[in-house]
Amino acid sequence: VLQLAGTAARSGLPPSSATLDDIAAAVAEGHMDASTMWTSRRVHLFVDFIACGPGVIPTWFALDRTGLPSAWIPEWEALRSRPQRAEFHQWTVDRHSVGTVAEMGSMLDGTADWLPPFPMGVIDPTTALLTALLHDVGKRPPGGGVDHPHEGARLIPTILRRMGVENLIEVVSGLVESHLVLAQAATSMDPEDPATIATVLDAVDHDPARLATLVALTRADSVSAGEKAWNPWRASLVNGLARNCWATLTD
């Protein structure tokens, strides 16, 4: 099924109705249980799937009708069709999250219209993609809402431990916890002020790879949210602060 998902996302050809019916039956019979399904190869195939850029969106939601994403990640179920609290969001929480990972995939493969202030090679793709997909996993009751970054960071260890990627728990949890820091600092503080730069760098433990991933995540998150979240003015503020942070950290 994971191989099918990747092929469908890359080719733009959705799974057939008969195949989706078979997948739904397998999910209903418990053959996709998250506690036993994950192996290192399946994690690789999953990451390969969510790296496919825009093609991941229709494929994910074709599979969503079978219940498969919630079988992969049980915490996902509470996000399905969940409305957003902020008015600038044009999509439900699950659609926004998949849109964010689709945008991240395009950024990583160089097809997004973006010139980062750092070499993209500094970013670990698996970390960036899993963080993009799960960055809003905390937007679920009862702890979702204003404090969703903290709630999401609390859930990440369970999800990644289940997948067998314990080595990514610290960095993904930290990025989920801080995924709003850059955007909030850029739009509410002076991007030239050393204190503003320090706020962002402290959030990423002064680590270049984490800073680069946070910058990429901020863009992917904002682009997926809609034009009210990513317009020329907001983009210039975020990009300006990102350049200042990268220069301060690497000069």
Side-chain angles (χ1 to χ4, degrees), residues 100-191:
T100 301
V101 79
E103 185 65 26
M104 181 66 79
S106 296
M107 294 163 68
L108 291 171
D109 70 16
T111 58
D113 183 17
W114 185 50
L115 293 175
F118 47 78
M120 285 297 288
V122 75
I123 295 177
D124 172 59
T126 298
T127 298
L129 291 161
L130 289 175
T131 304
L133 180 66
L134 299 171
H135 76 285
D136 273 351
V137 72
K139 285 185 174 179
R140 51 178 240 158
V146 175
D147 202 26
H148 74 270
H150 177 73
E151 177 69 10
R154 188 184 68 81
L155 296 170
I156 291 298
T158 298
I159 297 170
L160 297 191
R161 196 171 290 118
R162 186 190 297 125
M163 295 177 73
V165 287
E166 292 92 342
N167 59 307
L168 298 182
I169 287 175
E170 190 219 349
V171 63
V172 174
S173 296
L175 287 165
V176 169
E177 177 90 60
S178 61
H179 76 265
L180 298 180
V181 169
L182 177 61
Q184 290 175 340
T187 55
S188 64
M189 302 169 70
D190 179 358

Side-chain angles (χ1 to χ4, degrees), residues 13-91:
L13 298 173
S16 69
S17 295
T19 298
L20 292 173
D21 288 344
D22 288 343
I23 293 171
V27 171
E29 293 168 6
H31 297 313
M32 305 286 183
D33 185 75
S35 64
T36 58
M37 71 158 283
W38 290 109
T39 65
S40 59
R41 172 165 170 74
R42 289 171 181 166
V43 171
H44 174 80
L45 289 170
F46 180 74
V47 172
D48 184 61
F49 162 47
I50 63 174
C52 288
V56 75
I57 299 173
T59 303
W60 183 282
F61 286 102
L63 295 172
D64 184 71
R65 293 194 292 273
T66 73
L68 185 57
S70 296
W72 286 335
I73 304 170
E75 293 79 5
W76 187 264
E77 180 64 23
L79 306 184
R80 296 178 70 206
S81 301
R82 185 166 181 77
Q84 299 276 8
R85 291 167 59 95
E87 56 84 22
F88 60 78
H89 274 286
Q90 65 175 335
W91 303 109

Side-chain angles (χ1 to χ4, degrees), residues 28 109 202 210:
D109 70 16
D202 287 347
R210 292 195 190 194

